[in-house]
Amino acid sequence: MSFVSKTYSINSVSSRLGGREGVAAVIGVGSLLAFAGALVAGSAAGRTKLVGIVSFAFLAMVAGVALQRYGRLTTPLRRLWATGLASGAMLASAAALLAPKAIGQHPEYGGFAIAAGYLLGYAGHELGHLVGHRELPINAAVSELTLHAVAAGSIMGVVYGSLPSLTPLFGYGVVAHKLPAGFGGAEALDRDGLPLLAMALPATAVGLAAVPLALATPDLGPVVKAAFYGISTGVFAHVALDMVPECTGGGSGHGHGGVTCGPDADRRRHHAVASTVAGTAVVFLAWLAVAA
């Protein structure tokens, strides 16, 4: 087949799929099919605890997407509060639920891994702008969430033997991570005009990374575990801070949480700060209730 014919064929497929939106939908469907296969493989190999955890994580992120789509967040102030609550909750989850695990495995390596993970998230976001003009089917927000999900899934895979059962406390930790992430990713897809089906990629990425690694990875030392925990913490913290609502008085901010504050920008800034603090407080109070 000549180069011209190949180009024509690719363009024809892209046209039939609806261009960028169609490719994003195909990626979403492919992720769901691969995830179903991973669950079957994990169950057949006896990794039922891991299958239950990654399935719960998937449902928690789907719930976040549904909240963004059907939560009647129609006014700018409601959307600001939703974004701020999600950002604060994600930051608190990274700091309280993931960072101690990284430091606990090895203080220095865990700390450096947290820094590396944060810079990895930053680099992915900034360098992602370099290819923005290429109309890629997955935007920066979904890419960063997928990166974090892969890191989290890798942790689950390599430390499978020490994973707790899906108790209320552990389930709370999963929801505190995945529900705000689902909301924030869906919000970013809406702004970029991409289908919500693309959120299937980060929603399934935990299982797609965890199940194969659980089947293939031998027991690892504390330094390696600290690196996995730390990188996941750093990436997730970057996503949380990137979602912090930034009132610009018109147009969007630099992060995924940029909101148009309009002429009443000063009052909206108060709401932006209050919403992020409230998001952290909600996670803290929920942790107290579950841990009691």
Side-chain angles (χ1 to χ4, degrees), residues 104-214:
Q105 292 291 332
H106 193 289
E108 289 77 19
Y109 280 107
F112 280 118
I114 291 173
Y118 187 89
L119 293 177
L120 184 62
Y122 162 76
H125 176 69
E126 291 300 313
L127 296 178
H129 290 298
L130 298 178
V131 294
H133 63 281
R134 298 186 181 182
E135 294 290 309
L136 297 178
I138 301 298
N139 63 6
V142 173
S143 298
E144 289 172 24
L145 289 174
T146 301
L147 179 62
H148 170 265
V150 169
S154 298
I155 292 171
M156 292 182 182
V158 299
V159 300
Y160 171 76
S162 59
L163 279 177
S165 299
L166 194 53
T167 60
L169 181 59
F170 188 75
Y172 149 75
V174 173
V175 172
H177 279 71
K178 294 302 177 183
L179 192 145
F183 177 90
E187 182 84 1
L189 286 173
D190 263 1
R191 284 199 303 271
D192 290 345
L194 292 171
L196 290 183
L197 188 56
M199 279 300 295
L201 181 59
T204 60
V206 172
L208 294 178
V211 173
L213 282 173

Side-chain angles (χ1 to χ4, degrees), residues 67-80:
L67 177 64
Q68 188 277 335
R69 172 52 61 92
Y70 303 109
R72 299 184 182 277
L73 305 173
T74 54
T75 67
L77 189 58
R78 289 180 181 177
R79 296 171 76 86
L80 184 154

Side-chain angles (χ1 to χ4, degrees), residues 7-115:
T7 303
Y8 177 77
S9 177
I10 293 172
N11 289 338
S12 298
V13 172
S14 177
S15 177
R16 288 197 299 271
L17 292 176
R20 184 187 185 195
E21 295 80 5
V23 175
V26 169
I27 291 174
V29 172
S31 300
L32 292 172
L33 293 175
F35 182 64
L39 295 184
V40 171
S43 299
R47 303 296 196 269
T48 53
K49 180 170 64 175
L50 182 62
V51 167
I53 291 172
V54 300
S55 298
F56 188 72
F58 170 79
L59 293 176
M61 185 169 280
V62 170
V65 173
L67 177 64
Q68 188 277 335
R69 172 52 61 92
Y70 303 109
R72 299 184 182 277
L73 305 173
T74 54
T75 67
L77 189 58
R78 289 180 181 177
R79 296 171 76 86
L80 184 154
W81 265 89
T83 303
L85 286 169
S87 174
M90 292 170 70
L91 183 59
S93 299
L97 303 178
L98 280 180
K101 292 181 172 60
I103 300 299
Q105 292 291 332
H106 193 289
E108 289 77 19
Y109 280 107
F112 280 118
I114 291 173

Side-chain angles (χ1 to χ4, degrees), residues 202-258:
T204 60
V206 172
L208 294 178
V211 173
L213 282 173
L215 297 177
T217 305
D219 189 32
L220 300 175
V223 171
V224 178
K225 292 179 181 179
F228 276 103
Y229 278 122
I231 290 173
S232 182
T233 301
V235 172
F236 202 60
H238 175 267
V239 174
L241 290 176
D242 204 37
M243 285 177 57
V244 169
E246 298 176 350
C247 294
T248 61
S252 61
H254 296 293
H256 302 139

